[in-house]
């Protein structure tokens, strides 16, 4: 566990360092002014804020006043030189919703870091030998509303880490990528012991005796080793309408080989001008290790929990807001 956290820390330091240009001065003779060569780094930071609001006054059809806000931040630091590239990005999103007579509720909570390193033999080839790192978790506790007494997720519960090596095809690697890795490590972290004891997110659950006494605590880390395939594509499908597509498929060699975890995102950005945009997004997931617990209560007996089968998860987002590039 300490080794994994150390690895994440080292990567974050590398990512922060990559935000700064590496000076490449070309000193000229006779004391002339130094000429700085074009940087091989390309960087971009984007902050977004989407807000939606509904209000009713004497509206005879009825309705509830509500307001929603979604704050996002994305940062890129990409290096490209001859046959080598190193792409890094950070994604942060957090959204809340407040409806009349209801408590504030979370609608979005994402913290994700990616780092991809690739090398090809020559500029004529579109095939790269690639190594990929991905880490994601959330900031705050999640609940199955309206129940806010018991959280169903927390910071690093879950947390996911992928690291693998494979082959990637991309004629224009920034806009189209097909990646296949026959050797990818997946680690699932559930650092909240209560959730770990329940076996949340696929970790090994705690063991109890017949009287309900704890014998062995649940595992807080689950490690898998398997195959990963991803496809990413970005394009302008019409004037000022941009589409981003990202799909990943993962299966573990040892545990239920052939049972595929799916993560598929499609986002449409509608650019009004340099500062105003609209966004329509779809996010579909299926993970056989993520299962819900439902309460079963029979008369005269204590309440028990039964694990449901894994289900398809889907989220749709529509927002209008402002965007700042810097």
């Amino acid at each position: 566990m300490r080794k994994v956290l150390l690895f994440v820390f080292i990567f974050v330091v590398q990512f922060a360092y990559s935000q700064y240009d590496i000076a490449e001065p070309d000193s000229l003779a006779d004391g002339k002014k130094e000429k700085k060569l074009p940087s091989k780094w390309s960087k971009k930071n984007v902050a977004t804020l989407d807000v939606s609001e509904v209000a009713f006054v004497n509206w005879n059809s009825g309705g509830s006043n509500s307001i929603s806000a979604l704050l996002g931040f994305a940062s890129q630091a990409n290096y490209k030189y001859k046959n080598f590239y190193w792409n890094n990005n950070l994604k942060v999103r957090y959204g809340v919703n407040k409806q009349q007579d209801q408590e504030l509720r979370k609608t979005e909570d994402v913290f994700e870091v990616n780092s991809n390193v690739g090398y090809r033999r020559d500029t004529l080839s579109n095939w790269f030998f690639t190594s990929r790192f991905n880490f994601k978790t959330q900031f705050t506790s999640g609940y199955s509303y309206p129940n806010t007494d018991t959280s169903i997720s927390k910071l690093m519960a879950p947390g996911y880490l992928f690291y693998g090596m494979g082959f990637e095809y991309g004629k224009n690697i920034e806009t189209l990528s097909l990646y296949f890795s026959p050797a990818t490590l997946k680690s699932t972290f559930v650092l909240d012991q209560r959730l770990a004891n329940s076996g949340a997110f696929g970790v090994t659950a705690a063991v109890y005796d017949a009287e309900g006494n704890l014998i062995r605590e649940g595992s807080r880390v689950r490690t898998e080793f398997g195959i990963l395939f991803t496809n990413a594509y970005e394009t302008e499908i019409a004037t000022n309408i941009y589409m981003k597509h990202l799909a990943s498929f993962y299966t573990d060699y040892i545990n239920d080989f052939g049972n595929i975890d799916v993560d598929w995102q499609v986002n449409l950005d509608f650019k009004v001008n340099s500062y105003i945009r609209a966004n329509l997004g779809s996010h579909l997931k299926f993970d056989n290790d993520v299962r819900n617990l439902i309460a079963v209560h029979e008369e005269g007996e204590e309440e028990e929990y039964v694990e449901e089968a894994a289900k398809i998860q889907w989220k749709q987002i529509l927002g209008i807001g402002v965007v700042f590039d810097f």
Side-chain angles (χ1 to χ4, degrees), residues 93-111:
R93 291 171 62 87
Y94 195 84
V96 292
N97 170 266
K98 180 67 172 71
Q99 290 192 22
Q100 185 177 354
D101 302 325
Q102 288 186 353
E103 72 282 354
L104 189 70
R105 297 185 176 186
K106 180 173 67 172
T107 58
E108 182 87 341
D109 191 355
V110 176
F111 176 85

Side-chain angles (χ1 to χ4, degrees), residues 214-235:
L214 180 65
I215 299 176
R216 185 179 69 244
E217 289 187 333
S219 173
R220 300 198 295 174
V221 180
R222 174 187 171 92
T223 302
E224 301 173 73
F225 186 74
I227 299 172
L228 176 66
F229 173 78
T230 70
N231 169 228
Y233 180 58
E234 298 183 19
T235 187

Side-chain angles (χ1 to χ4, degrees), residues 3-15:
K3 292 181 179 179
V4 173
L5 294 177
L6 177 61
F7 178 78
V8 173
F9 173 76
I10 292 173
F11 169 77
V12 171
V13 172
Q14 290 177 330
F15 180 81

Side-chain angles (χ1 to χ4, degrees), residues 58-303:
N58 300 324
W59 193 255
N60 60 11
S61 297
S64 297
N65 299 336
S66 68
I67 184 170
S68 300
L70 176 61
L71 180 65
F73 175 76
S75 178
Q76 295 182 7
N78 301 332
Y79 180 89
K80 188 174 183 180
Y81 182 65
K82 294 184 179 179
N83 301 326
F84 174 82
Y85 81 86
W86 180 25
N87 293 343
N88 305 277
N89 66 70
L90 168 69
K91 301 176 185 178
V92 177
R93 291 171 62 87
Y94 195 84
V96 292
N97 170 266
K98 180 67 172 71
Q99 290 192 22
Q100 185 177 354
D101 302 325
Q102 288 186 353
E103 72 282 354
L104 189 70
R105 297 185 176 186
K106 180 173 67 172
T107 58
E108 182 87 341
D109 191 355
V110 176
F111 176 85
E112 182 174 357
V113 178
N114 293 279
S115 182
N116 304 330
V117 178
Y119 177 81
R120 59 183 175 179
R121 292 178 298 176
D122 53 62
T123 56
L124 299 178
S125 175
N126 296 321
W127 286 95
F128 292 79
F129 299 99
T130 302
S131 175
R132 288 196 169 192
F133 170 92
N134 169 268
F135 172 78
K136 53 189 172 184
T137 185
Q138 61 190 56
F139 291 102
T140 61
S141 298
Y143 299 92
S144 180
Y145 296 108
N147 178 13
T148 58
D149 295 328
T150 304
S151 61
I152 60 173
S153 62
K154 289 185 175 182
L155 174 67
M156 288 300 293
Y160 296 101
L161 185 150
F162 288 85
Y163 181 74
M165 293 175 288
F167 307 94
E168 184 174 19
Y169 176 85
K171 185 174 182 179
N172 187 344
I173 203 73
E174 288 78 16
T175 58
L176 172 64
S177 169
L178 294 169
Y179 171 75
F180 173 75
S181 170
T184 294
L185 172 71
K186 176 186 177 182
S187 295
T188 303
F189 303 93
V190 183
L191 301 189
D192 180 82
Q193 195 59 59
R194 177 183 60 82
L195 292 172
N197 287 346
S198 69
F201 309 103
V203 298
T204 303
V207 177
Y208 298 89
D209 62 19
E211 298 178 354
N213 299 313
L214 180 65
I215 299 176
R216 185 179 69 244
E217 289 187 333
S219 173
R220 300 198 295 174
V221 180
R222 174 187 171 92
T223 302
E224 301 173 73
F225 186 74
I227 299 172
L228 176 66
F229 173 78
T230 70
N231 169 228
Y233 180 58
E234 298 183 19
T235 187
E236 185 177 9
I237 59 177
T239 303
N240 291 332
I241 301 178
Y242 302 88
M243 183 192 74
K244 294 182 180 180
H245 154 84
L246 176 62
S248 68
F249 307 89
Y250 179 83
T251 185
D252 181 47
Y253 283 118
I254 302 174
N255 302 305
D256 296 327
F257 181 75
N259 195 328
I260 300 174
D261 296 338
V262 179
D263 194 321
W264 180 28
Q265 300 181 58
V266 178
N267 290 289
L268 295 175
D269 280 327
F270 304 86
K271 183 178 180 181
V272 179
N273 55 41
S274 299
Y275 299 102
I276 306 298
R277 62 102 196 210
N279 173 264
L280 175 63
S282 172
H283 192 178
L284 184 146
K285 296 173 65 176
F286 177 81
D287 188 338
N288 193 54
D289 297 324
V290 179
R291 307 185 180 192
N292 296 324
L293 296 177
I294 57 173
V296 177
H297 181 74
E298 296 183 4
E299 186 176 352
E301 297 183 3
E302 294 185 358
E303 188 174 72

